[in-house]
Amino acid sequence: MHCPCRGKLKLFAASVTFVVLLTWLYLIVGNLENGRSLLLYSCLVEQSDSSYMERDMLEMRMREVVEENQQLRLQLSQSQGAVAQVQDGNYGNQQWVASADTGPEDGENTAEERSNQGGNHSDCVHRPMVEKCELIHVACVCAGHNTSRDVVTLVKSILFHRRNPLHFHFITDMVAHQILSSLFQSWMVPSIQVSFYDADELKSEVAWIPNKHYSGIYGLMKLTLTKALPSDLTKVIVLDTDITFATDIAELWAVFRKFTDKQVIGLVENQSDWYLGNLWKNHKPWPALGRGFNTGVILLLLEQLRRIGWEQMWRLTAERELMSMLSTSLADQDIFNAFIKQNPVLVHQLPCFWNVQLSDHTRSEQCYTEVSDLKVIHWNSPKKLRVKNKHVEFFRNLYLTFLEYDGNLLRRELFGCPSQPSSESIHLQDALEELDEDDQCYDFRRERIMVHRIHLYFLQYEYAPTEDDADVTLVAQLSIDRLQMLEAICNHWEGPISLALYMSDAEAQQFLRYVLASEVLKNRKNVGYHIVYKEGQFYPVNLLRNMALRHANTPYIFLADVDFLPMYGLYDYLRKSIVQLDMAHSKKALVVPAFETLRYRLSFPKSKAELLSMLDVGTLYTFRYHVWTKGHAPTNYAKWRTATTPYKVEWEADFEPYVVVRRDCPEYDQRFVGFGWNKVSHIMELDAQEYDLVVLPNAFMIHMPHAPSFDISKFRSSSSYRYCLTMLKDEFHQDLSRKYGSSALKYLTAERNI
Ligand SMILES: *[C@@H]1O[C@H](CO)[C@@H](O)[C@H](O)[C@H]1NC(C)=O
Ligand SMILES: *[C@@H]1O[C@H](CO)[C@@H](O)[C@H](O)[C@H]1NC(C)=O
Ligand SMILES: *[C@@H]1O[C@H](CO)[C@@H](O)[C@H](O)[C@H]1NC(C)=O
């Protein structure tokens, strides 16, 4: 009450309250959206008993969502409490200052202390232990598709609470490097730096250690950080990927200042009885001090470690212990513990709430008195989410909240810290400034330059190139409402598939559950799933197509749509045709004739002969026969009926066949968003580049019925939508003429003649 900062404080607190309310509202709306899409999901499940289960799950999930919101509100109100301590404009880092002061010995009092300080403002003159805007370094070892997904949830939980610039150091294999580098580049979170270090180069450092832990060789790489990280990096927080933060990471960073001169490693005691060696008969763990330490959260003073010769020291320890232990059971953790047993003075013991370990036989409940005290939850991987702890529901909610949290919301600027914008964001700013806000089609143009966050290879993906060099990938894009097509497509096409999926964070998790519940999808490893996170008001169809196209790994691609089923055997037939037609040395686009059925239950034709007789009795039609004949008329279905050899056709206006081309073909034009002209423009450009359009006599694909997409109805009902599409078309024509000269004039003329 006696603080000089009262006036300013009130104003600031008021504005923060407002922001908090807004955020909360947003979260509610976001979660309602979840509920809706979950309903959708349950419609996909066919058997009735499982749809009951789905409903129960939905109800449960809704209850969880309500709890989540309460919890988030609690967290947000705590940060409001922090604001109440603001003084002299030095806001931001106050909340944790109080608790950072509590060492391991008085950790239990934290909650009381914090509420004291929140309650009366006698504590205005606290000295912050982390400078405002101080850069915090975090290191993580991450390999493979699954771990790359986990790490995103960890990063979200850190970003959600953070108030400082962060530098992430990722030790990655090639898979994780590709996924995480494209993710962070497209995420464009301000005040974040990301560095990658090649795990393969570090393998030789630890490969000699026999290890039985599920984390494999990557688990051991934490031992090599003094060597792997830049030599001028003095300290770093090292985290496992199965960790969720419930507080600002700066609070943990501040603990470095509590290290004594000798201490170089900060760790939390292992909360299981593992190292006591009494878990079962003849249980013989590695040597450790007491219960041992858990290495899920480590504070490393890299500089001092290098100085005391850590690299030789841990090696000697490991070599000596391995003589009797033969292999490690808990990877790096065994070696850290054996090392510490010999050098106990080097350890700074962290309060246990910095690593609340959830696994069987743990005492994690003794670690905290109030659930709100804990700061970091450690899932101890494979058994994730299935643990015995009375607060497990709370933990699960916290985890699920970040799992499904809209990552786009974390793009917010840090309050009051200068940041160096990335080249991507500078580029985006420039492009935005060039737009004219009074332009009637501003929304379309804005959409085109939008940077969507992407998560490549969301699920495990394996592909080995074929020897004939004629392999072909099916390329398509979809949103969650077309998920039910995937199984059928996989049954019709055994070759590689590259899919771009347009989804929210929550939908991506539903998608993951859907795949894991499907025998067909779960076992298919040659499908690359690339998530493009939702943003903006139009479906970015050509951006999605390009994303899927770029990440096809074969020399040829089949540019398809997800609501078509290829004929059985198309994959083999295409590969043969690719060789026969010498695609490697000629510019060809092989046309796969398209048909459609209006029947939901079609007995799919096994051959061209069967297809033709179905066509004759009206079970099948040529594609868009009723509404848009021009789109496929140039395929010349009459000729196709009797054709036995491939034949060339000429380009005509509005032709939009499904084609097989070399992967180096031109990309789709991303100015076309939503419905209309997205494929037409691509085929036009192929023709402008003098591709021959060659129809395959024994190939076909069939469009399966579905409800019209949202963007189509928009197109049909809105005159300004149609107006803008015309504008974009005109501009596309101009660009085409600029690129291909007078020969491109024919497209304009063809257009006029319609
Ligand atoms: C400050 O907190 C203490 C301890 O909770 C309490 O006894 C005291 O009344 C508070 N003072 C004010 C001014 O609120
Ligand atoms: C990745 O996760 C899936 C699904 O949980 C699992 O089946 C698969 O074995 C995991 N892959 C690896 C390499 O751990
Ligand atoms: C401690 O010991 C347990 C054995 O129960 C082991 O699984 C775990 O990895 C160690 N650390 C943690 C996180 O509890």
Side-chain angles (χ1 to χ4, degrees), residues 345-447:
V345 292
L346 299 181
V347 181
H348 179 91
Q349 189 177 333
L350 301 172
C352 65
F353 51 64
W354 283 116
N355 182 350
V356 177
Q357 301 145 38
L358 301 180
S359 67
D360 301 342
H361 354 271
T362 70
R363 320 176 299 150
S364 54
E365 287 171 32
Q366 295 164 29
C367 160
Y368 52 90
T369 45
E370 296 281 326
V371 135
S372 55
D373 292 347
L374 60 90
K375 297 167 188 296
V376 170
I377 298 157
H378 184 180
W379 299 94
N380 283 325
S381 227
K383 291 182 194 159
K384 214 181 232 179
L385 303 187
R386 255 181 284 141
V387 290
K388 293 183 218 120
N389 176 302
K390 65 176 184 246
H391 297 119
V392 68
E393 277 306 308
F394 169 80
F395 298 141
R396 202 194 317 273
N397 284 341
L398 191 73
Y399 173 76
L400 290 176
T401 301
F402 289 116
L403 197 64
E404 303 193 346
Y405 191 82
D406 180 354
N408 297 340
L409 298 179
L410 297 166
R411 281 171 167 164
R412 59 181 178 225
E413 293 282 343
L414 276 193
F415 191 58
C417 293
S419 70
Q420 276 196 331
S422 65
S423 58
E424 286 82 17
S425 69
I426 292 172
H427 186 252
L428 176 64
Q429 274 312 314
D430 290 350
L432 275 173
E433 274 163 26
E434 274 177 29
L435 292 185
D436 172 9
E437 285 189 38
D438 297 328
D439 183 343
Q440 199 179 336
C441 303
Y442 174 84
D443 288 346
F444 286 80
R445 301 186 203 283
R446 170 80 186 78
E447 207 85 1

Side-chain angles (χ1 to χ4, degrees), residues 58-72:
L58 176 64
E59 270 178 30
M60 205 174 81
R61 185 72 191 99
M62 287 310 280
R63 276 199 300 275
E64 285 174 359
V65 160
V66 171
E67 283 169 23
E68 267 166 37
N69 282 328
Q70 283 168 349
Q71 199 46 49
L72 275 165

